[in-house]
């Protein structure tokens, strides 16, 4: 073995070569050694995959830092061990779902087998299903846990594993740490029980679909507008993912008669290759380009696209120039929450106990709107599991209306405890019909919001830093911002810094430092920094928990007096975000 490898990498490589791993895996490792491919060996073995904000996620391939039957198997065995300790002497069941990615169905079968071999009953979806339906199924079927195999919107080379708890939310503290401890306690692959018990595995399908769809239909608020605007022209693309299993039939049940599906992206073909897109991510304009082009051809009112596991949705609408324009996640979250607040108010349902929820990097426009309706707005760390945590903490005391995050994930109602692109597609279509019923486009509604509450604009600067060297560089960038916080941003003095790793907030004017409350409301120690300026600019630094990236969120705002000023104000805010990126040397 090459002497250039670090000792911990050499130890892991040796354990895989000498352990009970299949011959193909061992031959692939040996080939990398023979080729002297130290970089690939290091990246594949320098660490174990860990649960981040989205669970287990990584490149598909050999090694402890890759998605394969052994890392998936070890994670599942650890989860099974924890479930058996957490719920002793109880009958336990889990739900398992999967998306259209490479090896997703294979990994799902392995997961089901391991749970069943550990005496845990399994509800395994018979085919592709959206992630939010897995969350719904856990609650519906009374499961203690659940797993969905997906890497969400990551590139095709990735797959992943999201673990859920009995309330249908992704695992949070202390369960996440406890599961990892159980995984780490596994000393040998021989401890993983790969031989399943088929008598404990039950296939589920349309019976759960029907209950999930009926739940979403029950969330509808403006039934009159739906009936009057059933000819609303909608273009939908599932981007080769699971959305095709439910969104078209859901829109049909809502009464929409002019829905166009992008057929070449309607089937999850290509063996997880996503052949018509570079990235299957509705945040990317390229991924939405076929749907947008179709919308231009047929003069559509609304474009929607869901990612492979259907927890995120991107949209496009006609702007004030009559052109099809993509909205970002903050804009979509804003119109959704605005619509829900208005609808609840009109229905006389706002009693002072309602709340909405968002993450700390999502637009503060939502905070301002909620305050105007006397509705609380709770802010959490990034990751929808923290929004679910707030819902759980407030259950029986306060009522959740809806919530969202800037990365295109939204939730309406609390029957699902994860971001839900299926229900979001339904509600976005409904609010577009509601607006049209009043002679407005969805974009007109957005401009009305900006005029009433202020024009909030958020930019994201995302830097990819791959491998171990990239991870080291990301950590150094965070250390530098902590040691030398910016004095000014875009000419405005920085007045406050929130450090979520230390759980402290520092007032630079007074020099006082106080604690950020932890434990409840989705706040725990996390490597995130936020800086606030005198003029209302917010700057956030955050390494991704699921990708080799560091993300910088820049929020700025200005007044919008009239619609005619939209373009000039928008341009000035975008330029300000760009200038901040250059000023802070974000590259």
């Amino acid at each position: 073995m090459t002497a250039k490898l670090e000792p911990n990498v050499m130890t892991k490589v040796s354990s895989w070569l000498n352990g009970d791993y299949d011959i193909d895996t061992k031959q692939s490792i040996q080939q990398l050694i023979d080729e002297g491919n130290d970089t690939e060996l290091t990246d594949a073995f320098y660490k174990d995959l860990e649960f981040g904000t989205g669970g287990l996620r990584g490149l598909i391939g050999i090694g402890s830092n890759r998605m394969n039957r052994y890392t998936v198997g070890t994670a599942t065995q650890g989860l099974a061990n924890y479930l058996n300790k957490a719920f002793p002497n109880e009958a336990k069941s889990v739900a398992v779902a999967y998306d259209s990615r490479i090896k997703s169905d294979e990994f799902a079968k392995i997961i089901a087998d391991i749970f069943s071999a550990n005496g845990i009953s399994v509800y395994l979806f018979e085919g592709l299903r959206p992630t939010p339906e897995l969350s719904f199924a856990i609650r519906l079927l009374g499961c203690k846990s659940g797993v969905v195999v997906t890497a969400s919107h990551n590139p095709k080379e990735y797959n992943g594993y999201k673990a859920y708890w009995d309330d249908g939310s992704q695992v949070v503290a202390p369960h996440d740490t406890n599961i990892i401890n159980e995984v780490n306690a596994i000393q040998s692959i021989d401890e993983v029980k790969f031989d399943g018990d088929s008598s404990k595995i039950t296939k589920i399908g349309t019976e759960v679909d029907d209950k999930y769809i009926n739940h979403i239909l029950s969330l509808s608020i403006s039934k009159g507008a739906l009936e009057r605007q059933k000819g609303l022209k909608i273009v939908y693309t599932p981007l080769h993912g699971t959305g095709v299993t439910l969104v078209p039939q859901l829109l049909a049940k809502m009464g929409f008669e002019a829905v166009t599906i992008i057929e070449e992206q309607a089937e999850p073909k290509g063996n997880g290759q996503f052949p018509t897109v570079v990235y299957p991510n509705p945040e990317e304009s390229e991924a939405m380009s076929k749907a947008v082009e179709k919308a231009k051809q047929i003069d559509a009112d609304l474009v929607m696209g869901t990612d492979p596991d259907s927890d995120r949705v991107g949209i496009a609408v006609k702007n004030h120039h009559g052109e099809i324009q993509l909205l970002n996640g903050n804009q979509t979250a804003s119109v959704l929450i605005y619509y829900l607040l208005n609808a609840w108010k009109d229905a006389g349902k706002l009693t002072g106990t309602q709340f909405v929820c968002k993450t700390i990097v999502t637009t503060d426009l939502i905070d301002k709107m909620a305050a105007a309706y006397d509705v609380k707005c709770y802010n959490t760390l990034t990751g929808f599991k923290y929004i679910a945590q707030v819902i759980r903490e407030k259950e029986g005391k306060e009522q959740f209306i809806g919530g969202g995050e800037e990365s295109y994930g939204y939730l309406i109602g609390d029957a699902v405890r994860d971001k839900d692109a299926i229900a979001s597609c339904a509600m976005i279509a409904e609010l577009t019909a509601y607006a049209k019923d009043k002679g407005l486009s969805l974009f007109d509604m957005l401009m009305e919001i900006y005029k009433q509450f202020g024009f909030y604009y958020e930019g994201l600067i995302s830097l990819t830093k791959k491998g171990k060297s990239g991870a080291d560089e990301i950590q150094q960038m965070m250390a530098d911002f902590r040691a030398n916080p910016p004095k000014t941003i875009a000419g405005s003095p920085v007045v406050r810094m929130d450090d979520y790793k230390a759980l402290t907030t520092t007032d630079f004017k007074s020099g006082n430092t106080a604690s950020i409350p932890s434990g409840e409301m989705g706040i725990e120690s996390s490597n995130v920094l936020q800086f606030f300026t005198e003029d209302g600019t917010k700057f956030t630094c955050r390494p991704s928990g699921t990708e080799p990236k560091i993300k910088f969120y820049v929020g700025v705002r200005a007044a919008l007096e009239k619609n005619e000023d939209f373009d000039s104000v928008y341009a000035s805010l975008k330029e300000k975000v760009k200038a901040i990126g250059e000023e802070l040397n974000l590259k």
Side-chain angles (χ1 to χ4, degrees):
M1 194 179 300
T2 174
K4 295 180 181 178
L5 293 176
E6 293 183 5
N8 68 308
V9 175
M10 293 178 70
T11 299
K12 284 184 181 292
V13 170
S14 179
S15 70
W16 278 57
L17 283 174
N18 297 310
D20 190 16
Y21 296 84
D22 66 89
I23 189 64
D24 289 342
T25 294
K26 291 183 178 183
Q27 287 177 347
S28 297
I29 296 171
Q30 189 61 52
Q31 183 177 344
L32 291 175
I33 294 171
D34 294 342
E35 293 171 353
N37 195 335
D38 295 343
T39 300
E40 177 60 25
L41 282 167
T42 297
D43 286 347
F45 286 98
Y46 83 95
K47 67 173 184 176
D48 295 334
L49 284 179
E50 299 172 355
F51 281 94
T53 57
L56 197 69
R57 192 177 301 184
L59 291 165
I60 300 166
I62 59 167
S64 61
N65 190 36
R66 297 285 187 260
M67 284 291 295
N68 50 64
R69 68 177 276 108
Y70 303 108
T71 54
V72 167
T74 302
T76 306
Q77 185 63 54
L79 177 53
N81 291 346
Y82 182 59
L83 286 170
N84 282 326
K85 289 181 179 179
F87 303 102
N89 305 316
E90 287 187 51
K92 293 171 283 294
S93 62
V94 299
V96 178
Y98 61 93
D99 70 1
S100 56
R101 287 182 173 272
I102 296 169
K103 293 184 178 291
S104 283
D105 55 349
E106 178 185 325
F107 289 153
K109 178 65 166 60
I110 292 168
I111 291 164
D113 283 342
I114 293 171
F115 278 131
S116 67
N118 283 273
I120 299 170
S121 298
V122 180
Y123 293 102
L124 175 62
F125 276 98
E126 63 187 4
L128 309 174
R129 288 301 189 278
T131 287
E133 188 175 1
L134 182 277
S135 173
F136 179 81
I138 290 170
R139 294 167 59 78
L140 175 72
L141 300 171
C143 297
K144 299 299 187 187
S145 181
V147 171
V148 60
V149 181
T150 179
S152 191
H153 59 290
N154 278 57
K156 62 187 178 183
E157 295 85 4
Y158 285 76
N159 212 327
Y161 177 114
K162 294 182 184 178
Y164 290 75
W165 205 239
D166 58 358
D167 66 338
S169 73
Q170 290 185 52
V171 292
V172 294
H175 305 305
D176 51 359
T177 302
N178 292 342
I179 293 166
I180 287 296
N181 289 340
E182 290 291 341
V183 174
N184 292 340
I186 296 172
Q187 298 298 307
S188 168
I189 198 65
D190 296 328
E191 297 176 44
V192 180
K193 300 176 182 178
F194 284 104
D195 295 327
D197 179 354
S198 60
S199 70
K200 288 190 170 294
I201 301 175
T202 302
K203 293 289 185 71
I204 56 174
T206 55
E207 69 278 12
V208 178
D209 299 342
D210 293 342
K211 287 183 171 61
Y212 178 46
I213 287 175
N214 287 337
H215 157 68
I216 295 172
L217 292 173
S218 74
L219 298 172
S220 178
I221 305 167
S222 303
K223 297 186 186 299
L226 288 177
E227 174 61 29
R228 290 185 293 271
Q229 300 299 330
K230 59 187 178 183
L232 188 81
K233 291 183 180 179
I234 300 172
V235 174
Y236 170 67
T237 174
L239 298 178
H240 304 285
T242 59
V244 73
T245 63
L246 294 180
V247 172
Q249 61 171 301
L250 176 58
L251 293 175
K253 285 180 179 290
M254 293 175 71
F256 292 111
E257 299 174 347
V259 179
T260 300
I261 311 297
I262 303 301
E263 291 299 333
E264 68 229 77
Q265 297 176 331
E267 293 297 331
K269 296 177 180 176
N271 191 29
Q273 297 296 319
F274 309 117
T276 68
V277 295
V278 177
Y279 299 111
N281 184 356
E283 298 181 52
E284 303 286 343
S285 58
E286 183 275 333
M288 298 288 286
S289 61
K290 290 185 181 298
V292 168
E293 188 56 38
K294 175 60 71 173
K296 292 176 181 177
Q297 293 172 10
I298 66 172
D299 192 31
D301 300 286
L302 173 66
V303 177
M304 298 188 291
T306 52
D307 67 345
D309 72 322
S310 300
D311 62 354
R312 300 173 195 248
V313 55
I315 73 171
V317 296
K318 276 194 231 175
N319 66 16
H320 53 308
H321 299 302
E323 302 165 345
I324 300 293
Q325 178 174 329
L326 291 164
L327 298 191
N328 63 39
N330 283 303
Q331 292 171 322
T332 303
S334 296
V335 292
L336 259 175
I337 298 300
Y338 177 74
Y339 173 65
L340 291 170
L341 290 170
N342 269 294
W344 277 63
K345 179 184 177 184
D346 291 346
K349 293 168 64 177
L350 294 182
T351 62
T353 61
Q354 286 72 38
F355 72 94
V356 297
C357 197
K358 69 179 187 68
T359 66
I360 58 174
V361 297
T362 301
T363 179
D364 291 340
L365 173 56
I366 293 174
D367 299 76
K368 191 165 185 180
M369 289 191 298
Y373 287 83
D374 196 26
V375 170
K376 295 174 185 174
C377 180
Y378 294 110
N379 283 266
T380 75
L381 292 175
T382 303
F384 231 85
K385 62 183 182 181
Y386 297 115
I387 292 178
Q389 182 178 337
V390 174
I391 297 172
R392 183 170 62 251
E393 294 279 352
K394 295 297 181 181
E395 203 160 14
K397 295 173 281 188
E398 297 177 19
Q399 188 174 14
F400 175 70
I401 294 176
E405 60 184 2
E406 45 69 45
S407 54
Y408 292 57
Y410 322 105
L411 177 62
I412 301 97
D414 63 1
V416 170
R417 300 296 173 91
D418 201 357
K419 48 188 177 285
D420 186 347
I422 308 300
S424 296
C425 280
M427 194 57 73
I428 290 165
E430 178 173 316
L431 76 87
T432 306
Y434 171 85
K436 191 167 186 177
D437 203 46
K438 295 183 176 298
L440 301 171
S441 69
L442 189 150
F443 199 85
D444 292 332
M445 181 185 288
L446 181 63
M447 288 198 292
E448 291 302 312
I449 293 170
Y450 286 154
K451 285 189 292 185
Q452 184 176 353
F453 300 102
F455 196 149
Y456 286 68
Y457 175 74
E458 295 78 25
L460 172 64
I461 301 168
S462 182
L463 306 180
T464 299
K465 307 284 185 180
K466 294 184 177 181
K468 184 178 184 300
S469 61
D472 292 342
E473 187 177 352
I474 287 171
Q475 293 307 312
Q476 187 59 50
M477 293 176 82
M478 293 298 293
D480 290 344
F481 272 111
R482 279 192 173 86
N484 301 291
K487 299 283 192 301
T488 62
I489 297 177
S492 182
V494 174
V495 294
R496 189 177 109 218
M497 178 180 78
D498 290 352
D499 186 340
Y500 284 90
K501 187 174 183 180
L503 290 174
T504 58
T505 179
T506 301
D507 183 326
F508 287 132
K509 284 189 172 180
S510 67
N512 294 330
T513 296
S515 296
I516 297 174
S518 62
E520 292 187 350
M521 300 303 96
I523 299 298
E524 60 188 24
S525 181
S526 182
N527 192 15
V528 180
L529 285 170
Q530 286 195 310
F531 301 94
F532 302 84
T533 71
E534 209 166 62
D535 71 355
T537 295
K538 182 170 76 172
F539 173 64
T540 307
C541 318
R542 172 185 165 264
S544 171
T546 57
E547 301 171 279
K549 294 180 178 180
I550 182 168
K551 298 181 178 182
F552 301 96
Y553 306 79
V554 186
V556 294
R557 65 179 191 241
L560 179 66
E561 300 294 339
K562 54 187 184 296
N563 289 2
E564 292 76 17
D565 295 337
F566 180 89
D567 290 342
S568 60
V569 175
Y570 187 38
S572 66
L573 291 175
K574 286 179 71 176
E575 183 57 37
K576 185 174 183 178
V577 168
K578 181 182 176 183
I580 289 172
E582 293 172 351
E583 173 189 340
L584 297 176
N585 197 30
L586 304 180
K587 61 184 180 180

